[in-house]
């Protein structure tokens, strides 16, 4: 039986980072993970993010964007290509190679940092003195490890649509959506959240006719509504995504090679037939067979493990991080919590600021934000000033053929402290870091306005939007 100072359950971006940080701090650490590769014949570290989430989705988004550029945009540069073709199996194989490179990289990092890598499913057995007992089951074998501190980082899984079975042939979740063998002629998507929009963008760019059925009446309710409205217009008018808001799905039937979906919209019942249907209606915390009761760890009514602001459960020396606890389901949030918990176990006093958590949608144009939206500020009664600037006159954006979008900076009316930055436009995923830093350092809009931004760069639009807060934009 092995004894460890820290055992981490789950090797996603929360768990593997927590394990490495704990090992750096001098603890004897093991990380137990049940994940397997796509074929299911080998362990694969990295969790949802590396295997079936952030990374494979971004690989496909890039491939589909290149295809779309070659088919529709290069002509403008005077470049003509006779017949642009896409080889879907090759595109999927490229994505798989990136996944394998990164998942095996986590194994390398474990070795480098002397983290014991244990493959198998972990469940709590109980406590013996100061030691938590954890059973690890790998296929038919089972073993036990003991730990003084346990970090639960078991992540999340797709939310199931009631009475609809995911077969990942006709009706797909995020796993199947990343492995289609051909471009479906008609693709249905239930859900217009981040995953729904990113996957719709991939297959739409490759030629699918995409219909999105969204139960909510508002598009991207979590985003600033000025930016969400601009995005909706671009996605529906320019990109011809058929987004039906307020569409309540009633029935889903898979028959032969097709899927029929019945839904209600504006009081009328409609039926539509798709070649493939992707269900992306959110994710739920994953605590399957963890046997939390054995140690007394509690969950809220939505299944999230209950923790305080330091990710401590109600049970001494048991912590939980990432998608399995409250807060946004994002890889960087999971990793930051992992670092903070490892440091707390070491007696340090780290802090993760959930109010300054960057959010990104890798659509075209990209959408990115940090801090409060105008709607949130209005609701909280906070008086604010705003400055907006467009990518339309930006030299770099024009040179890239991507001069579409807006940056909006929101600042406190009295103090000028930046409260939120909201963007839609080219590469705003990369531009967002400047805004995150500004909020973390409690910068004012004047601070950004007085910082030199290189020319010609996309970042000049953030500069202009900050100048616009004080009504002194120079280029717009
Ligand atoms: C399609 C898609 C795209 C996404 N894109 C982004 C993005 O661009 N940016 C972003 O920030 N986030 C993105 N996310 C969300 C991101 O993947 C998650 O927020 C992140 O993976 C959460 O990390 P985690 O460590 O909490 O859990 P996970 O990554 O889910 O890892 C949990 C691990 O624990 C293992 N496990 C579970 N139970 C046990 C057990 N009992 N014993 C042993 N092992 C166990 C699992 O096998 C898994 O390996 C995306 C998600 C999806 C589905």
């Amino acid at each position: 039986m092995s004894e460890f100072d820290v055992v981490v359950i789950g090797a996603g971006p929360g768990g593997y980072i927590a394990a490495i940080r704990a090992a750096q701090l001098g603890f004897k650490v093991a990380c137990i993970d049940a994940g397997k590769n796509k074929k299911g014949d080998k362990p694969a570290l990295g969790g949802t993010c590396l295997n079936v989430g952030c990374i494979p989705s971004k690989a496909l988004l890039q491939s589909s964007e290149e295809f779309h550029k070659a088919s529709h945009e290069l002509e403008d540069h005077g470049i003509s290509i006779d017949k642009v073709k896409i080889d879907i199996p090759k595109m999927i194989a490229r994505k798989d190679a990136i996944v394998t490179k990164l998942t095996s990289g986590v194994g390398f990092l474990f070795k480098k940092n002397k983290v014991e890598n244990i493959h198998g499913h972990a469940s709590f057995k109980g406590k013996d003195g100061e030691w938590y007992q954890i059973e690890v089951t790998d296929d038919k074998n089972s073993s036990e490890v003991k730990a003084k501190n346990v970090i639960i980082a078991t992540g999340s899984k797709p939310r199931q649509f009631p009475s609809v079975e995911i077969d990942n042939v006709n009706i797909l979740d995020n796993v199947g959506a990343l492995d289609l063998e051909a471009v479906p002629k008609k693709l249905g998507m239930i859900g217009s959240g981040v995953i729904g929009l990113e996957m719709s963008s991939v297959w739409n760019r490759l030629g699918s006719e995409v219909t999105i059925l969204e139960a909510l009446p508002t598009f991207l309710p979590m985003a600033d509504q000025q930016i969400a409205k601009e995005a909706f217009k671009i996605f529906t008018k320019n990109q011809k995504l058929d987004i039906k808001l307020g569409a309540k799905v009633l029935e889903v039937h898979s028959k032969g090679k097709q899927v029929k979906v019945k839904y209600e919209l504006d009081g009328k019942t409609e039926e539509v037939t798709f070649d493939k249907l992707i269900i992306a209606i959110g994710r739920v915390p994953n605590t399957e067979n963890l046997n939390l009761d054995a140690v007394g760890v509690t969950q809220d009514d939505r299944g999230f493990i209950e923790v305080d602001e330091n990710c401590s459960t109600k049970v001494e020396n048991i912590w939980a991080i990432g998608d399995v606890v409250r807060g946004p389901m994002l890889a960087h949030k999971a990793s930051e919590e992992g670092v903070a918990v490892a440091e707390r176990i070491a007696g340090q006093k780290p802090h993760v600021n959930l109010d300054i958590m960057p959010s990104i949608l890798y659509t075209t144009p990209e959408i990115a934000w940090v801090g409060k939206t105008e709607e949130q500020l209005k609701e909280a009664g906070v008086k604010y000033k705003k400055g907006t600037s467009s990518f339309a006159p930006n030299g770099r954006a024009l040179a890239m053929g991507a001069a579409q979008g807006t940056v909006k900076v929101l600042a406190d009316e009295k103090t000028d402290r930046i409260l939120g930055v909201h963007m839609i436009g080219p590469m705003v995923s990369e531009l967002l870091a400047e805004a995150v830093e500004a909020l973390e350092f409690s910068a004012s809009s004047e601070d950004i306005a007085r910082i030199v931004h290189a020319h010609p760069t996309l970042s000049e639009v953030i500069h202009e939007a900050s100048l616009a807060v004080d009504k002194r934009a120079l280029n717009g």
Side-chain angles (χ1 to χ4, degrees):
M1 193 187 304
S2 312
E3 293 175 347
F4 297 92
D5 299 317
V6 180
V7 161
V8 183
I9 305 176
Y16 91 78
I17 290 293
I20 291 172
R21 185 70 191 119
Q24 283 175 350
L25 290 161
F27 293 116
K28 186 179 175 202
V29 184
C31 185
I32 308 168
D33 188 80
K36 287 200 172 158
N37 66 356
K38 183 166 134 179
K39 276 195 193 154
D41 60 356
K42 279 191 195 146
L45 300 168
T48 304
C49 170
L50 298 195
N51 289 282
V52 289
C54 325
I55 300 303
S57 59
K58 266 76 250 176
L60 297 188
L61 279 157
Q62 194 63 40
S63 296
S64 58
E65 194 173 335
E66 302 298 348
F67 174 75
H68 193 265
K69 265 190 200 151
S71 314
H72 302 284
E73 295 166 35
L74 293 183
E75 195 83 48
D76 279 356
H77 294 259
I79 303 167
S80 47
I81 304 175
D82 251 1
K83 253 193 190 154
V84 184
K85 283 193 289 185
I86 178 89
D87 179 339
I88 298 292
K90 199 166 173 180
M91 174 184 86
I92 299 290
R94 174 184 180 274
K95 177 264 295 176
D96 290 341
I98 295 168
V99 168
T100 306
K101 191 177 167 72
L102 290 177
T103 54
S104 45
V106 177
F108 167 78
L109 292 173
F110 277 176
K111 264 197 198 128
K112 187 178 154 199
N113 290 282
K114 302 196 175 45
V115 172
E116 182 139 341
N117 176 6
I118 302 175
H119 179 72
H121 182 94
S123 61
F124 286 100
K125 272 184 86 177
K127 197 177 182 196
D128 177 14
E130 62 174 345
W131 298 98
Y132 289 104
Q133 300 155 302
I134 297 162
E135 180 165 29
V136 185
T137 319
D138 178 11
D139 295 327
K140 281 173 203 144
N141 304 320
S142 93
S143 58
E144 193 180 307
V145 296
K146 284 184 166 187
K148 285 185 191 156
N149 296 276
V150 183
I151 305 175
I152 305 169
T154 48
S156 61
K157 55 189 179 181
R159 183 191 301 280
Q160 301 294 310
F161 198 89
S163 69
V164 176
E165 201 183 320
I166 301 282
D167 57 14
N168 272 333
V169 178
N170 285 348
I171 304 177
L172 319 155
D173 59 14
N174 65 289
V175 179
L178 294 164
D179 272 327
L180 286 174
E181 286 163 359
V183 181
K185 193 165 177 308
K186 285 188 80 176
L187 175 67
M189 177 73 66
I190 305 184
S192 70
V194 180
I195 297 174
L197 283 172
E198 289 187 0
M199 286 298 105
S200 295
S201 298
V202 168
W203 297 104
N204 178 51
R205 288 169 191 166
L206 297 174
S208 289
E209 201 182 294
V210 182
T211 303
I212 304 179
L213 301 170
E214 168 58 60
L216 293 176
T218 312
F219 185 60
L220 291 178
M222 65 293 198
D224 187 278
Q225 284 305 293
Q226 180 185 344
I227 302 293
K229 283 191 182 116
E230 190 169 342
F232 188 80
K233 207 165 152 191
I234 295 169
F235 296 159
T236 52
K237 297 252 171 354
N238 303 8
Q239 296 172 14
K240 309 279 179 251
L241 283 178
D242 183 7
I243 306 174
K244 297 186 191 301
L245 298 174
K248 190 172 167 233
V249 173
L250 304 171
E251 280 172 34
V252 174
H253 291 292
S254 177
K255 209 172 176 197
K257 290 189 167 175
Q258 289 188 320
V259 188
K260 277 194 185 352
V261 178
K262 223 182 234 179
Y263 64 93
E264 194 185 292
L265 183 63
D266 298 331
K268 276 192 227 146
T269 302
E270 312 270 351
E271 192 173 87
V272 59
T273 303
F274 300 115
D275 299 308
K276 301 279 178 197
L277 176 73
I278 299 173
I279 299 187
I281 52 169
R283 296 180 66 83
V284 291
N286 177 23
T287 51
E288 224 170 276
N289 302 326
L290 254 181
N291 199 19
L292 295 172
D293 290 343
V295 284
V297 169
T298 54
Q299 289 168 267
D300 68 15
D301 50 8
R302 294 191 300 153
F304 290 99
I305 291 180
E306 288 181 306
V307 288
D308 64 13
E309 68 281 13
N310 299 322
C311 292
S312 173
T313 67
K314 290 182 181 146
V315 181
E316 196 186 13
N317 298 335
I318 301 188
W319 313 76
I321 58 171
D323 280 12
V324 81
V325 303
R326 84 286 174 265
M329 286 183 163
L330 293 167
H332 41 276
K333 178 258 189 186
S335 298
E336 289 308 320
E337 287 181 336
V339 169
V341 165
E343 293 178 351
R344 237 163 228 282
I345 294 172
Q348 299 179 12
K349 301 260 180 292
H351 173 65
V352 178
N353 189 352
L354 291 182
D355 284 339
I356 302 184
M357 199 50 70
S359 294
I360 299 169
L361 273 83
Y362 294 82
T363 44
T364 303
E366 293 178 341
I367 300 167
W369 71 90
V370 63
K372 301 282 183 235
T373 63
E374 269 201 81
E375 293 72 30
Q376 288 167 334
L377 292 177
K378 276 183 193 147
E379 204 183 315
V382 176
K383 292 224 158 67
Y384 62 91
K385 318 177 268 184
K386 72 174 162 182
T388 55
S389 184
S390 165
F391 281 94
N394 176 269
R396 186 78 202 279
L398 282 163
M400 290 166 66
Q404 202 175 30
T406 304
V407 173
K408 172 156 93 174
V409 175
L410 301 171
D412 187 274
E413 194 179 82
K414 257 198 194 143
T415 65
D416 192 35
R417 179 177 171 168
I418 299 175
L419 303 171
V421 177
H422 303 272
M423 314 191 235
I424 176 169
M427 301 300 288
V428 293
S429 56
E430 297 296 332
L431 297 185
L432 187 60
E434 177 178 9
V436 178
E437 275 176 26
L439 263 82
E440 269 297 347
F441 293 146
S442 307
S444 63
S445 76
E446 189 185 351
D447 286 331
I448 297 192
R450 290 196 182 277
I451 289 172
V452 181
H453 287 69
H455 175 76
T457 62
L458 299 171
S459 71
E460 288 173 287
V461 185
I462 299 185
H463 188 229
E464 281 291 322
S466 303
L467 285 164
V469 171
D470 224 9
K471 302 197 173 27
R472 54 193 181 105
L474 298 165
N475 287 288

